[in-house]
């Protein structure tokens, strides 16, 4: 193995994709995977890219769904993870589900057979040796404690979290502003705010009582035994607060003080749910202090009883899980390097993306960036209009840290259309020449966002360093993994 190899730590979805992308550029890779020498609380096999829970990569609809779009972009970028998923597909309607053992075997076999990839079964139990000048850390939500401690010491206190505490996130345009209103508590501007930063949803006493009852009765998800119970002050699930006393929420996240309902016929609110801007685009708002273990269906049912949220569309629902992740917007640069130690690049769920596909996509980007850096080529991130660019932008800066002096709010996120810059152009009319409305308009908007993304991605690929090199002339590039378009790939039928 040449001394100028790139080291990838973690042979999960992100690490394998990163290694594959690097090897595709003709660069040696050493992939360090600790299993089976040491395992995690959720992995069951020694296989690379093991799917720890569901066998679904979610929707494969590249015309109307953000994760389906991400699939298609990854295929166009020559993704190994998508190639293995397509080859191991099992019937699942519009979703891309896989035979998990076949999928993991396909990835493991490809890694083992690749002449430029060396797989070492060992734990990296601290910061990598100084002589490794280009490293990708892709150790996932269950990074081994020794490495997590070392990263925690390097990045500083509070920069590495061990649990996520996810509050639901709502698409701004689905909130009824004839009921809700913009105002910060006591009109305080605070650092970085304007005094009218929060969306407030008012509840009467009857509505509040019914809401508390629904939270207490609602169906909840239990913690796994290995997760422990990570309750600490400031991070209690709302249903636990509700159980502690009827007034607890009204003196916590739902306090009505310092807020004045401007709508003419509304009486003073007994309680208020506040939503805070979550991304710089202003398209997403999170429900402040609403981390919860309620089941997803229950969250939608109960939160839609909040005045102003009757039609709420959720970009993400709440949760509380064991999860190791960095405060990436603060710590990483635009190409996923750690500001404090640029030889270390991060990929996968440890960057604060969420999900198999998103983890692999961030691995794909990290691999490409690392390879470009090694070859002395410019590191150009994909446009933010693409699913890869939108996700990267969320991780490295698109997220709003805090408007006021509140707690840090960066939490793991799946890809969703709220992360994309809005589509500003007029949508085409319907078949009768009338303006689109309702669900037809929403679908047309998604189609337009997807079309724009794929056009911009193709331009980005076309401008990249591999654009003019024939596949067979690229060292280490398995022709089977060249961008799908160039192999006459026929897009699958959308369901
Ligand atoms: C319990 C649980 C269930 C989940 N269920 C789903 C789901 O159903 N659907 C979904 O889309 N997402 C799910 N996720 C979220 C997430 O997308 C997956 O965890 C995904 O596998 C993350 O990919 P990754 O490559 O970042 O990490 P992983 O796939 O976990 O890969 C990290 C690898 O690094 C190795 N490693 C860790 N520390 C070291 C070290 N110090 N040295 C060497 N190797 C190391 C691990 O053994 C592992 O193989 C789940 C997460 C958890 C924790």
């Amino acid at each position: 193995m040449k001394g100028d190899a790139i080291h990838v730590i973690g042979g999960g979805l992100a690490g394998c994709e990163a290694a594959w992308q690097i090897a595709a550029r003709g660069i040696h890779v050493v992939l360090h995977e600790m299993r089976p020498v040491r395992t995690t609380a959720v992995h069951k096999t020694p296989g690379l890219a093991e799917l720890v829970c569901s066998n679904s990569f979610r929707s494969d609809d590249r015309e109307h769904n953000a994760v389906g779009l991400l699939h298609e972009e990854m295929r166009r970028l020559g993704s190994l993870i998508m190639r293995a998923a397509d080859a191991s597909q099992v019937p699942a309607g519009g979703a891309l589900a896989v035979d998990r053992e076949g999928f993991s075997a396909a990835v493991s076999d490809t890694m083992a057979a690749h002449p430029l990839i060396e797989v070492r079964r060992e734990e990296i139990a601290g910061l990598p040796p100084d002589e490794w000048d280009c490293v990708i850390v892709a150790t996932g939500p269950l990074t081994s404690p020794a490495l997590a401690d070392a990263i925690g010491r390097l990045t500083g206190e509070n920069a590495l979290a061990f649990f996520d505490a996810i509050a639901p996130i709502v698409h701004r345009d689905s909130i009824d502003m004839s009921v809700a209103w913009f105002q910060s508590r006591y009109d305080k501007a605070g650092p970085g705010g304007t005094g009218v930063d929060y969306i407030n949803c008012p509840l009467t006493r009857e509505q509040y009582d019914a809401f508390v009852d629904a939270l207490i009765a609602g169906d909840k998800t239990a913690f796994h035994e290995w997760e422990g119970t990570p309750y600490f002050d400031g991070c209690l699930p709302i249903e636990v607060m509700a159980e502690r006393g009827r007034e607890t929420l009204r003196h916590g996240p739902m306090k009505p003080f310092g807020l004045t309902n401007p709508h003419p016929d509304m009486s003073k609110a007994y309680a208020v749910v506040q939503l805070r801007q979550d991304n710089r685009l202003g398209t997403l708002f999170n429900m402040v202090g609403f981390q919860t273990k309620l089941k997803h269906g229950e969250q939608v049912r109960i939160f839609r009883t909040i005045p102003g949220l009757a039609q709420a569309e959720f970009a993400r629902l709440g949760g509380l899980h064991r999860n190791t992740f960095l405060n990436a917007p603060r710590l990483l640069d635009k190409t996923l390097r750690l500001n404090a130690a640029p030889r270390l690049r991060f990929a996968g769920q440890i960057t604060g993306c969420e999900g198999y596909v998103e983890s692999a996509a961030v691995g794909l980007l990290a691999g490409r960036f690392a390879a470009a850096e090694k070859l002395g080529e410019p590191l150009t991130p994909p446009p933010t209009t693409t699913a890869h660019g939108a996700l990267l932008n969320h991780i490295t800066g698109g997220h709003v840290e805090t408007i006021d002096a509140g707690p840090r709010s960066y939490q793991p996120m799946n890809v969703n259309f709220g992360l994309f810059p809005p589509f500003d152009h007029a949508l085409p009319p319907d078949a009768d020449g009338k303006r689109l409305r309702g669900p037809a308009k929403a679908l047309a908007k998604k189609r337009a966002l997807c079309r724009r993304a794929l056009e911009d991605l193709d331009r980005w690929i076309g401008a990249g360093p591999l654009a003019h090199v024939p596949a067979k002339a690229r060292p280490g590039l398995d022709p089977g993994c060249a961008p799908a378009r160039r192999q006459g790939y026929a897009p699958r039928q959308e369901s």
Side-chain angles (χ1 to χ4, degrees):
M1 182 64 55
K2 281 163 62 179
D4 60 356
I6 295 176
H7 293 262
V8 177
I9 309 176
L13 291 146
C16 291
E17 184 65 57
W20 172 255
Q21 294 286 335
I22 295 163
R25 301 300 315 281
I27 301 168
H28 284 86
V29 190
V30 185
L31 179 65
H32 308 261
E33 168 52 55
M34 68 177 183
R35 289 176 293 117
V37 180
R38 184 186 176 111
T39 192
T40 76
V42 299
H43 288 86
K44 303 266 186 295
T45 75
L48 300 179
E50 179 182 333
L51 302 179
V52 292
C53 188
S54 148
N55 66 332
S56 172
F57 280 41
R58 317 201 310 276
S59 170
D60 200 28
D61 177 353
R62 64 171 189 165
E63 288 190 357
H64 305 104
N65 186 288
V67 79
L69 173 65
L70 192 58
H71 292 172
E72 175 60 18
E73 290 189 7
M74 291 174 74
R75 290 185 179 112
R76 292 185 187 201
L77 289 162
S79 160
L80 169 66
I81 292 298
M82 287 311 299
R83 191 174 102 177
D86 287 337
S88 333
Q89 187 172 9
V90 296
L96 173 59
V98 302
D99 171 324
R100 67 177 71 240
E101 279 158 24
F103 169 77
S104 171
V107 176
S108 304
D109 292 349
T110 306
M111 293 284 117
H114 201 297
L116 293 176
I117 300 176
E118 179 192 341
V119 181
R120 288 190 199 157
R121 299 289 185 159
E122 62 185 8
E123 179 189 3
I124 303 301
L127 290 183
D130 288 343
E131 57 271 23
W132 298 3
D133 64 351
C134 187
V135 182
I136 295 177
V137 181
T139 44
L142 297 153
T143 296
S144 75
L147 179 58
D149 287 351
I151 295 169
R153 281 194 301 276
L154 179 66
T155 52
E157 214 184 330
N158 296 329
L160 185 71
F162 294 96
F163 281 90
D164 55 35
I166 298 177
I169 292 187
V170 179
H171 287 276
R172 155 79 181 81
D173 59 7
S174 67
I175 302 173
D176 182 354
M177 296 306 290
S178 69
V179 176
W181 75 95
F182 270 104
Q183 185 186 8
S184 301
R185 209 179 288 285
Y186 300 110
D187 304 312
K188 276 191 190 157
T194 63
V196 285
D197 298 314
Y198 291 77
I199 294 179
N200 300 284
C201 299
L203 287 87
T204 63
R205 176 162 200 159
E206 293 69 37
Q207 287 165 336
Y208 174 79
D209 281 340
F211 183 72
V212 169
D213 289 341
L215 289 179
I216 293 170
D219 208 0
K220 286 125 197 146
T221 313
F223 281 106
H224 299 284
E225 201 182 310
W226 55 268
E227 289 184 298
T229 308
Y231 294 157
F232 51 93
D233 278 352
C235 181
L236 286 178
I238 43 166
E239 62 277 9
V240 173
M241 280 189 259
E243 278 163 6
R244 287 190 174 180
R246 291 205 80 75
E247 290 292 291
T248 307
L249 280 171
R250 213 172 82 78
H251 292 277
M254 294 180 71
K255 59 178 177 273
F257 315 116
L259 297 166
T260 312
N261 189 341
H263 296 300
D265 50 347
M266 303 276 180
S267 54
K268 191 162 170 43
Y270 186 72
V272 170
V273 173
Q274 287 203 301
L275 295 100
R276 180 169 49 212
Q277 189 173 327
D278 199 80
N279 61 344
R280 292 197 194 286
L281 294 169
T283 50
L284 299 174
F285 276 71
N286 65 63
M287 298 175 71
V288 180
F290 265 52
Q291 55 276 358
T292 174
K293 289 291 280 180
L294 284 168
K295 289 195 168 157
H296 282 181
E298 290 287 78
Q299 292 185 40
V300 174
R301 179 179 69 78
I302 296 171
F303 297 155
R304 283 192 179 154
T305 66
I306 297 169
L309 301 187
Q311 307 294 327
E313 292 297 332
F314 294 90
R316 180 183 78 186
L317 287 158
L320 207 61
H321 310 100
R322 173 86 171 79
N323 191 0
T324 310
F325 66 101
L326 292 167
N327 188 4
R330 177 160 284 184
L331 297 175
L332 303 186
D333 74 8
K334 297 279 174 209
T335 67
L336 300 163
R337 277 178 307 210
L338 190 67
N339 294 319
R343 76 185 174 104
L344 304 183
R345 190 172 252 113
F346 284 80
Q349 184 136 334
I350 197 168
T351 64
C353 64
E354 168 85 29
Y356 300 149
V357 186
E358 289 84 344
S359 297
V362 177
L364 182 153
L365 290 174
R368 286 188 162 229
F369 289 145
E373 188 177 85
K374 216 27 159 189
L375 296 171
E377 292 166 354
L379 307 182
T380 316
T384 54
T385 48
T386 64
H388 279 82
L391 199 55
L392 181 69
N393 184 49
H394 170 71
I395 292 167
T396 61
H399 174 80
V400 174
E401 178 78 358
T402 50
I403 286 169
D404 50 24
R408 149 195 144 167
S409 59
Y410 180 66
Q411 294 290 339
M413 174 81 102
N414 286 124
V415 69
N416 67 79
F417 286 122
L419 301 180
F420 291 62
F423 187 75
D424 294 331
H425 306 289
L427 293 168
D430 69 9
D432 301 327
K434 294 206 182 101
R435 273 180 61 183
L436 292 171
R437 292 184 190 285
K441 183 176 172 191
L443 269 186
K445 228 161 106 179
K446 288 176 182 169
R447 256 197 312 275
L449 285 171
C450 290
R451 198 171 307 131
R452 180 181 71 177
L454 292 177
E455 284 169 9
D456 288 355
L457 182 88
D458 285 347
R459 261 193 292 279
W460 183 68
I461 294 173
L466 284 177
H468 309 294
V469 187
K472 61 176 183 228
R474 295 175 215 157
L477 176 59
D478 175 348
C481 198
R485 283 174 308 125
R486 296 189 193 124
Q487 301 167 54
Y489 162 82
R492 69 188 55 242
Q493 290 299 308
E494 300 304 341
S495 48

